[in-house]
Amino acid sequence: MRWALVKVCLAVTAMVVVAFAVPLGLVVQEMASDRAFSNAERQAATIGPTLSITTDPVQLRKAVESTQMGAARRMAVHVPAIGDSPPVGIGQGRAGERAVAETRRMGRATTAKVAGGGSALLQPTALGSGDIAVVEIFVPESEVSNGVATAWLVLAGVGLALIVGSVAVADRLGARLVRPAERLADAAHQLGEGKLGARVPEAGPKELRSAAVAFNAMADQVVELLANERELAADLSHRLRTPLTVLRLNTASLGDGPAAEQTRAAVEQLEREVDTIIRTAREQRPATGLTGAGAGCDASEVIRDRMDFWSALAEDEGREVRLAGVDRTVRIPVARPELAAALDAMLGNVFRHTPEGTPFAVDVHDAGDAVIVLVSDAGPGISDPDAALRRGNDGGRDGSTGLGLDIVRRVAESTGGDVRLGRSVLGGTEVRVWIGLDGRSLGGPGAGRQGRGRRGNRRTRGRA
C-alpha cells in the first residue's frame, strides 16, 4: 500500500510537471525569439530617416556604419533603381534577391532563413521618390535562443524538486497509514498465537484508530473471560477441597475395617482427581501476561481480595492470619490474574502442607526498584528448598498438582525477579517473591542478588 501510494503520487506529479513545464518552456523560447526580432526592427528603423532624405551611396554607407548593427556588419540596405540610377546595395546582404523583392512587393516586414544559420529581418522603408527600399538586419541563432537553455534547466530543476518533494510527502503519508495497519496485523498474529497481552496503540488515521480501539476491546474481553474462567476454577477447587478436608478428617474417626478403608481410599482418589483437573487446567492455560495497554495491577488490592477468599477456610481451620503492607497502592508490572494465581498457589501450599491451626502471614514491601511479597507460616518448614522449587516439573506427588511454586517462579521471572525459600520468623517456611519494577534482572546467580536478598531479609525481619 505504501509503495502503491508513492507510485501514484509520482505518476500524477510527473504528469503535472510535464503539462506545465513544457508549455512554459515553449513560451520562454517564443519570447526570446520575439525579443530578438523586436530589437532588429528597432535597429532597422534607425536608418529610416536617412533613406527618406537621400539615396546617395556614400551618405547611406556613412549612415549605416554609424549604427550599432552597421558597425557589427549585420545591417544591409537594398535601394531599387530610381530613374536612370542603378540599384544600390549597402552592407553585406545575406537574404536572397527573391526574399528582398517579395518584401518590397508585400510592403511589410518579413523574415528569411540565412544559409549557415540565423535569420534575416527584411524591413521595407519608403523613399522620398515613392519607391521602397529594404533594410536587412541579420539576427544570429544565438540571439534568438538567448536565455532559453537556462530557462529549460530552471524548469527541469523545479519539476524534479516537485517530484522528489511529492514522493517524500507520499512516502511519509503512506508510512503513517501503513504502520498502524502493520501494528494491528502483528497484534492479531500475537493474539492468534495465544499472547493475550497483545495490544495496539490507538494512533493513526481515524479509521485505523477505531479498528485499534475495537481490537483492544476484544482482547480485553478475551482476557476477562479467561480470568473469570480461572476464578471459577479456583472457586470450584476451594469449594471441593473444603468438604474433602472434612471428609478426610472424619475418616480418621471411622476406625479400622473394610468400609473405613474403602471410604479413605475413595476420599484420596477424589483428591487426586481434583488435583488432576486443576493441573490440567493450569497446563493448558495460555500465557496472559499483558504487554500493551492495561498491563500491571495493584498488588495490595489483589492480595486483599485473595485473602478475603482464603479467610473463610482459615477461620474453619482455626488459623491466625496476619496481613501487612497492603494499606497503600503498590503497582507492579504483573497482570491481575497472574498475581492472583501465584498467591493462590502459595496460600494453597500453606493450607495443604501445614497442620490445622498453623498461623501464617502475608507481607508486602516496596523496595524502590522491586516489590517483595512474603508468605510466611509457622509450620514444620521445608527440608529441601531446591527440590520444592523444582516441584513444577514433578507432578507425581499425591496431593500436589506439581505447579504451585513453578507458577510463582514464572510470574516473578517475567519481571526480572525471582523466588527464594527460607526459614520464616514464625518458625516455618518463608516464600520470598521479588517482582521487578524497572525491567532489570533481579535474579540469576551472582553476588548481586545475594546481597539484595540479605538486605531484603534485614528489612523484612525488622518490620516483623
Side-chain angles (χ1 to χ4, degrees):
M1 179 180 177
R2 179 177 179 181
W3 288 112
L5 183 61
V6 170
K7 291 177 182 179
V8 169
C9 187
L10 176 62
V12 171
T13 306
M15 288 189 293
V16 170
V17 168
V18 171
F20 281 91
V22 172
L24 187 58
L26 295 177
V27 169
V28 171
Q29 184 175 348
E30 186 67 24
M31 290 177 62
S33 177
D34 291 343
R35 183 175 63 250
F37 283 102
S38 297
N39 182 53
E41 288 179 357
R42 290 194 300 270
Q43 294 296 328
T46 59
I47 200 66
T50 303
L51 288 172
S52 63
I53 296 173
T54 180
T55 58
D56 181 61
V58 176
Q59 298 296 328
L60 288 178
R61 189 176 300 279
K62 290 181 180 180
V64 168
E65 291 178 353
S66 64
T67 63
Q68 179 182 355
M69 290 296 177
R73 299 183 180 277
R74 291 171 52 186
M75 178 185 287
V77 179
H78 303 277
V79 180
I82 302 174
D84 296 335
S85 300
V88 176
I90 306 297
Q92 182 181 356
R94 293 177 175 82
E97 292 293 334
R98 184 175 179 179
V100 173
E102 184 68 19
T103 301
R104 187 178 289 116
R105 184 185 65 81
M106 296 174 60
R108 59 182 177 82
T110 61
T111 59
K113 290 294 182 180
V114 176
S119 303
L121 173 68
L122 301 175
Q123 177 69 46
T125 303
L127 300 177
S129 60
D131 294 311
I132 301 296
V134 177
V135 179
E136 176 185 341
I137 302 295
F138 174 65
V139 182
E141 191 66 32
S142 60
E143 189 171 329
V144 174
S145 60
N146 184 29
V148 175
T150 302
W152 278 108
L153 289 176
V154 172
L155 291 174
V158 172
L160 183 61
L162 287 176
I163 292 175
V164 172
S166 64
V167 168
V169 172
D171 181 69
R172 292 298 90 199
L173 180 60
R176 183 172 177 269
L177 294 174
V178 169
R179 285 198 186 105
E182 290 177 345
R183 288 195 293 263
L184 182 60
D186 182 64
H189 285 301
Q190 293 183 29
L191 189 63
E193 294 172 355
K195 300 177 181 178
L196 302 182
R199 296 296 184 272
V200 182
E202 298 172 4
K206 179 180 178 181
E207 294 77 8
L208 292 177
R209 286 201 306 270
S210 300
V213 170
F215 179 87
N216 292 338
M218 178 192 67
D220 290 339
Q221 290 179 357
V222 171
V223 172
E224 184 177 358
L225 289 174
L226 290 177
N228 292 336
E229 181 181 354
R230 293 182 59 203
E231 291 293 337
L232 181 61
D235 182 67
L236 178 61
S237 66
H238 170 67
R239 292 174 182 271
L240 291 176
R241 286 189 181 278
T242 300
L244 283 176
T245 301
V246 175
L247 288 175
R248 180 163 49 83
L249 294 176
N250 289 338
T251 56
S253 62
L254 294 179
D256 298 329
E261 292 299 328
Q262 290 178 0
T263 303
R264 295 188 187 96
V267 172
E268 292 177 358
Q269 178 65 25
L270 185 56
E271 286 183 337
R272 286 194 295 269
E273 292 296 335
V274 171
D275 290 341
T276 301
I277 294 173
I278 297 174
R279 181 169 61 250
T280 303
R282 295 289 189 186
E283 290 174 351
Q284 293 180 351
R285 176 180 55 85
T288 58
L290 295 180
T291 59
C297 67
D298 179 6
S300 299
E301 190 272 332
V302 176
I303 292 174
R304 289 195 301 268
D305 178 73
R306 300 317 300 160
M307 288 302 297
D308 290 341
F309 178 85
W310 288 95
S311 61
L313 183 58
E315 184 178 355
D316 292 342
E317 295 186 358
R319 297 176 182 268
E320 181 183 352
V321 181
R322 183 177 65 83
L323 189 61
V326 296
D327 54 346
R328 61 185 184 279
T329 300
V330 179
R331 299 293 303 182
I332 60 173
V334 177
R336 178 188 175 90
E338 297 296 321
L339 180 60
L343 289 171
D344 288 342
M346 291 187 289
L347 295 175
N349 285 340
V350 172
F351 282 86
R352 190 175 302 114
H353 301 294
T354 61
E356 293 187 14
T358 302
F360 67 94
V362 178
D363 300 270
V364 179
H365 303 275
D366 189 351
D369 60 347
V371 170
I372 308 169
V373 178
L374 298 175
V375 177
S376 308
D377 63 64
I382 299 177
S383 58
D384 190 351
D386 293 335
L389 287 174
R390 292 195 300 268
R391 191 186 306 169
N393 298 323
D394 181 12
R397 291 181 52 185
D398 291 340
S400 173
T401 60
L403 288 170
L405 291 179
D406 185 63
I407 294 174
V408 181
R409 178 183 57 80
R410 286 189 287 109
V411 170
E413 290 180 352
S414 67
T415 65
D418 65 354
V419 177
R420 306 183 72 187
L421 301 181
R423 179 68 62 176
S424 73
V425 295
L426 300 179
T429 302
E430 177 187 84
V431 181
R432 178 186 299 269
V433 183
W434 287 81
I435 300 176
L437 298 181
D438 56 1
R440 294 194 299 267
S441 177
L442 301 174
R449 190 183 72 173
Q450 299 296 334
R452 188 185 299 273
R454 287 193 295 270
R455 290 193 299 271
N457 280 328
R458 285 196 295 270
R459 289 192 297 268
T460 303
R461 294 178 185 276
R463 292 197 55 175

